Amino acid sequence: MLTRDATTTLTEQLAERYAERIRSRLLAPGARLPSVRDCAQRHGVSPHTVVAAYDQLLAQGLIEARRQRGFFVRNAVAPARSARAAAPAESRPVAPVDATALIRSMFHHPGARPSPGLGTLPPEWLDLSLLGGALRRVSQGDGLAGHALHYGDPAGDGRLRAALSLRLADLGITAEPAQIVTTLGATQALDIVSRTLLAPGDAVLVDEPGWAVEFARLAQLGMRVLPVPRGTDGPDLAVMRRLIEAHRPRLYVTVSVLHNPTGSTLSLAGAHQLLTLAQAHDFHIVEDDTYAWLAPAHAPRVGALDGLQRSIYISGFSKILAPSWRVGYIAAPPALVQRLVDVKLLTSLTTPVLTEQAVAVCLEQGALRRHAERVGVRLDTARARSLDLAQRHGCTPATPPQGLFAWLDTGVDTDRLALALLDDGWLIAPGSLFHATRRPSGLMRINVATSQDPAFWRALDRRRTELQRRGARA
């Protein structure tokens, strides 16, 4: 949104907005910019301001004027300005055009408005006193010297692994402390497992829709990503069988409980059939249980059904404690543990003992369980409110909402909707981000905890109506 009290002029803000879109390829070479009149109406500025902004883009070599036709993005886009010149624009969120852009938005300092597209709890929902108390307890007396002056155990802090073994037992998963390897969050856990079990060119089954970061990470490692349609009870097993027979995958990576983005949970029958396929075709199932603390303990876990034979269980604490507490872990078959530790040593040496012991304290004292229960109650209320607002403003759930997310049908292309809402200061996660091969989608994922502001839904309704009108005129 353009602001009149900013340190830059309206002309500069408007020019930078279009420059950012051109450089990030949201406006492709040859794309036509809005007419001066349309642009002025859209951004609430004078035609003179638009002309001046377009002049700046012409001077930067980003656009060209075509006589009696308007302004178009140049085929050869000028290089980006120096880091010093671009610094003011870097503090603003970028459009969620791909997985990396959505992640980058997580690192902006939170502003006055919540971000419906992000995947974390609001800061005010987290228990700062819980974190502070746990850190003080493990660092008092001689504790700090013992934790801070030496490398920790390569497999992870023994106290935490013992506490995690008990936590997993609550979920029905039998794992001795020696079967657990701690990591820098669940993301590193996924990376360690991939690097341990896969080689470039190997095929990997993934859920679709699914977490775009996982698609991008596997592709960067040189893997062949095989999307399997995800339904309300789990993957489409008929499609999975065909892919298995054609490509002989080494892994299937899935969020079995409170799936991101649909919120669905794998059925017990589906889990049994998955394990049968894994056994018959010699591949492992990587069960990413990132949202475990927001889910019922009795939800079916693949690791509980097969006793960690074909399955590898991954989870972490950033979704329930704090995003910056990068403590995750892997529970694996005994034969794989040393290989996982070796890869961990090569990628990060060890993990921070201080935070691992602090998490152990939170687990041992039951404080984390009580905090999760409070969050669960609050999340139920937020979900009901956000869904009511969504439906009153013309959006419908594509799947029954559960957990942190709702998967909504907006009725318009959510890539275009995301771009328009970014002008109003709202970040959403368009449905195309959750497909292995990007394609237009009318769906979007919202975080129900950060989507309770009626102003967001009014802005969405207004922007969607604008897009529908433009589509009708086209």
Side-chain angles (χ1 to χ4, degrees):
M1 181 179 294
L2 305 184
T3 56
R4 285 175 166 76
D5 57 352
T7 56
T8 54
T9 66
L10 292 174
T11 295
E12 292 169 333
Q13 293 175 56
L14 186 60
E16 179 55 39
R17 178 148 298 166
Y18 279 99
E20 181 181 300
R21 294 177 182 179
I22 292 168
R23 292 191 179 105
S24 64
R25 313 294 282 187
L26 284 169
L27 287 172
R32 183 176 182 177
L33 271 63
S35 70
V36 170
R37 179 184 297 176
D38 285 348
C39 188
Q41 291 176 345
R42 184 180 305 177
H43 296 283
V45 297
S46 69
H48 174 78
T49 297
V50 177
V51 171
Y54 283 2
D55 281 344
Q56 289 190 15
L57 296 172
L58 285 165
Q60 294 173 38
L62 296 174
I63 66 172
E64 60 186 8
R66 298 181 186 174
R67 189 178 181 86
Q68 297 183 342
R69 294 185 61 194
F71 296 91
F72 294 79
V73 178
R74 290 188 61 178
N75 288 325
V77 173
R81 296 173 298 169
S82 68
R84 179 168 181 161
E90 290 175 355
S91 64
R92 296 196 303 269
V94 296
V97 295
D98 56 25
T100 306
L102 187 62
I103 296 173
R104 193 178 296 119
S105 299
M106 294 164 52
F107 296 96
H108 289 282
H109 190 276
R113 288 179 171 174
S115 294
L118 295 188
T120 54
L121 292 170
E124 62 271 17
W125 285 35
L126 303 176
D127 192 337
L128 189 60
S129 63
L130 171 64
L131 306 181
L135 282 172
R136 285 192 298 272
R137 178 155 184 165
V138 299
S139 60
Q140 62 188 2
D142 296 331
L144 182 59
H147 303 325
L149 301 181
H150 307 280
Y151 284 124
D153 186 325
D157 179 71
R159 181 177 182 180
L160 176 59
R161 288 188 288 136
L164 289 172
S165 179
L166 294 174
R167 158 66 182 166
L168 290 173
D170 289 340
L171 302 179
I173 299 172
T174 300
E176 296 297 322
Q179 289 179 254
I180 298 171
V181 180
T182 66
T183 61
L184 297 171
T187 300
Q188 192 200 27
L190 288 164
D191 195 59
I192 288 173
V193 170
S194 299
R195 293 177 185 275
T196 301
L197 297 180
L198 299 173
D202 282 345
V204 182
L205 298 163
V206 296
D207 293 328
E208 188 174 59
W211 183 212
V213 174
E214 185 63 10
F215 301 155
R217 190 186 62 75
L218 289 168
Q220 189 177 61
L221 290 174
M223 310 309 165
R224 291 181 291 131
V225 178
L226 305 177
V228 180
R230 173 75 180 228
T232 55
D233 294 327
D236 185 322
L237 294 171
V239 172
M240 180 176 279
R241 286 189 186 93
R242 291 197 295 271
L243 290 172
I244 290 170
E245 291 167 1
H247 300 280
R248 298 184 61 83
R250 299 292 304 279
L251 288 182
Y252 169 44
V253 182
T254 184
V255 179
S256 56
V257 178
L258 298 185
H259 173 254
N260 177 16
T262 68
S264 64
T265 293
L266 180 65
S267 69
L268 193 59
H272 277 295
Q273 292 179 71
L274 271 178
L275 287 168
T276 300
L277 285 171
Q279 182 65 37
H281 297 278
D282 192 26
F283 65 87
H284 282 92
I285 299 169
V286 180
E287 184 172 28
D288 178 3
D289 202 8
T290 297
Y291 304 98
W293 289 97
L294 305 178
H298 58 75
R301 264 80 176 188
V302 178
L305 292 175
D306 86 325
L308 296 179
Q309 297 179 54
R310 280 283 164 188
S311 65
I312 300 168
Y313 180 89
I314 286 171
S315 191
F317 297 89
S318 63
K319 300 298 182 186
I320 191 66
L321 280 175
S324 62
W325 279 48
R326 307 305 301 160
V327 179
Y329 62 98
I330 306 165
L336 288 180
V337 172
Q338 192 54 54
R339 292 174 61 191
L340 296 168
V341 172
D342 288 346
V343 173
K344 176 184 173 180
L345 280 166
L346 292 173
T347 55
S348 63
L349 294 182
T350 62
T351 39
V353 178
L354 192 65
T355 48
E356 288 191 350
Q357 288 228 345
V359 171
V361 168
C362 294
L363 288 167
E364 291 166 352
Q365 296 182 339
L368 182 50
R369 176 184 53 79
R370 293 190 294 273
H371 167 62
E373 289 171 353
R374 292 191 295 270
V375 168
V377 171
R378 197 168 183 179
L379 198 57
D380 289 342
T381 302
R383 189 183 309 109
R385 175 173 169 77
S386 293
L387 287 174
D388 178 63
L389 286 165
Q391 290 173 316
R392 282 198 277 134
H393 289 85
C395 297
T396 56
T399 56
Q402 301 177 65
L404 187 60
F405 301 125
W407 188 230
L408 302 179
D409 190 345
T410 67
V412 296
D413 182 345
T414 47
D415 278 335
R416 297 174 64 197
L417 183 63
L419 198 58
L421 283 170
L422 198 66
D423 286 342
D424 297 330
W426 301 104
L427 180 76
I428 67 169
S432 60
L433 292 185
F434 300 92
H435 290 276
T437 302
R438 192 178 177 92
R439 60 178 183 267
S441 172
L443 299 168
M444 72 172 180
R445 186 200 73 181
I446 63 161
N447 178 332
V448 297
T450 57
S451 300
Q452 300 181 74
D453 189 341
F456 162 66
W457 294 102
R458 290 194 295 269
L460 183 146
D461 207 359
R462 183 178 68 255
R463 291 297 190 176
R464 183 183 54 204
T465 300
E466 291 173 1
L467 291 173
Q468 289 170 334
R469 286 174 179 166
R470 288 178 202 158
R473 289 199 300 265

